[in-house]
Amino acid sequence: MKKIYIRFAGMALLMAMAGSCKKFVDYNPHEDFKVTDQDYLKTETDYRTMAVSAYTPLQWLNQMVPIGDIASDNSVAGGEAASDVLSLQQIDDYTLTPVNSTLTDLWQVSYEGINRTNYLTQYKDKNPGGQQINFAGKDALYGEITFLRAYYYFSLVRMFGDVPLFTDRRLEVKDSKTLKRSPKADVYKQIEADLNNAIAVLPTTQTQKGRITKYAAQAMLGKVYLYENKFDDAKNVLESVISSGAFTLVPDFASIFLAAGENGPESVFEIQYSNNSPYYNWGGQTRGQGNYSVQQCGIRGLNGSASMPYAAGWSTNLPTQDLANAYSAGDQRKAITAFDIEAYKAANPSYNITYQVAPYKNTGLYNGKYLPRKGETSGQVELNYLNNFRTLRYAEVLLMAAEAENRSATPNDTKAQGFLNQVRARAFGDANHNITSTGATLKQAIWDERRLELGMEGDRFFDLVRTGQAASKITGFKTGKNEVFPIPQKEVDISGLTQNPGY
């Protein structure tokens, strides 16, 4: 459907929870089927299976990560030509219009996730048949649901600003044209409520990797508070995560992004992907269980000896030289964030590397954090890479806490420096690069560190907007317009929504 509520997969069992699977998000979409309300949510298993399906759209939000860098000074769209993935080229060039397939898809996916979480919320106390289904752990399960709804709304509000807000049920055909855009302050209020509710009932650990924990909800709430400039609230919740002792920084930065580094000691929340299903769909590249953006980041035509670890890709989302130049000598993050293929080739002559120079907007640099590696995909190779998105890392928690301390009503720059310098000490392997500045200078240092630490992970554009730096950093950015993306034209035409200014 082309309505705001988009297609809701009819309570499809999209993600079977099989303990033998590599990741709990593994599923076979060809086993999807439709059932009616009266047929479903009759048992604990029904509730738990449907809860897992509420995670599925997280994978489908795949393109939000490359957009977060392509729309900024961190990367360019790249690709084969100016017409290659035109929707990303328009975002890169700031020629975007409301007719943009990638933005439309992200809007639809977010509301698909909201519909799924709302369906479960609608029948939390009693199922569609009026029966009360109680089981141990139900409240904690609903903590996952409210986190997911908060995440989907956060994705929408930071991309589009004011968006339709509904929480009591999933939308139906009859709801077309009945919803209006709610002020983003109201959306943030709901996000806060959902995350606080999740924090109150979630466990600190989960037996299945990738499922939401209390710490993930706290970290997410802290991030939301930063977007709202609620720095005192942010520091309190973020420092609860830090003081828990549940997370540590991994000494070898690059290892975080290896398959062996998934869900590691620095992981607060990761979006899970897997290559265990042969499913693929070229009409919906992000709809499988694999991470499509990995293929996008790869080096075009890459070949080499059997021992060379990397696989070829499409030369999309290329780091800029400006990003590479931002790193100081000795910073271990540079090599993986702005991967220089020529330097790598020279350092590894035995690999006999050949490749095709990126045809469009070539920078000579690639996103090494999500560079395709041999043996990490199956089925339809391009669409089934197993790489998780490292959505919330402990390093970001430290940097968010540093910013909150520096910008709070009663700043504590000593604590802010301590959090910041933990991240820098890992980057350089010593304390010789510690930051000792205070006040506004320290604030800028923290913002700059976010770029260095989180480069090519999808946060840069949103950071520049929320901190008021976008106009001075991004070529083509227009104040009063480009802080948000255009509402998809389909929603304007069919659902009657108002458009964002300037579009």
Side-chain angles (χ1 to χ4, degrees), residues 280-291:
Y280 65 93
N281 174 13
W282 281 107
Q285 295 95 321
T286 65
R287 296 303 191 268
Q289 69 181 38
N291 190 337

Side-chain angles (χ1 to χ4, degrees), residues 176-219:
S176 179
K177 295 189 177 182
T178 64
L179 292 180
K180 304 296 182 184
R181 296 174 66 186
S182 298
K184 66 179 183 180
D186 292 345
V187 182
Y188 273 119
K189 183 177 180 181
Q190 181 61 49
I191 292 170
E192 286 183 29
D194 277 346
L195 290 173
N196 277 309
N197 288 337
I199 290 167
V201 295
L202 281 168
T204 56
T205 60
Q206 294 274 19
T207 56
Q208 291 177 309
K209 298 293 185 182
R211 302 198 73 143
I212 310 302
T213 66
K214 177 179 180 178
Y215 298 133
Q218 288 176 319

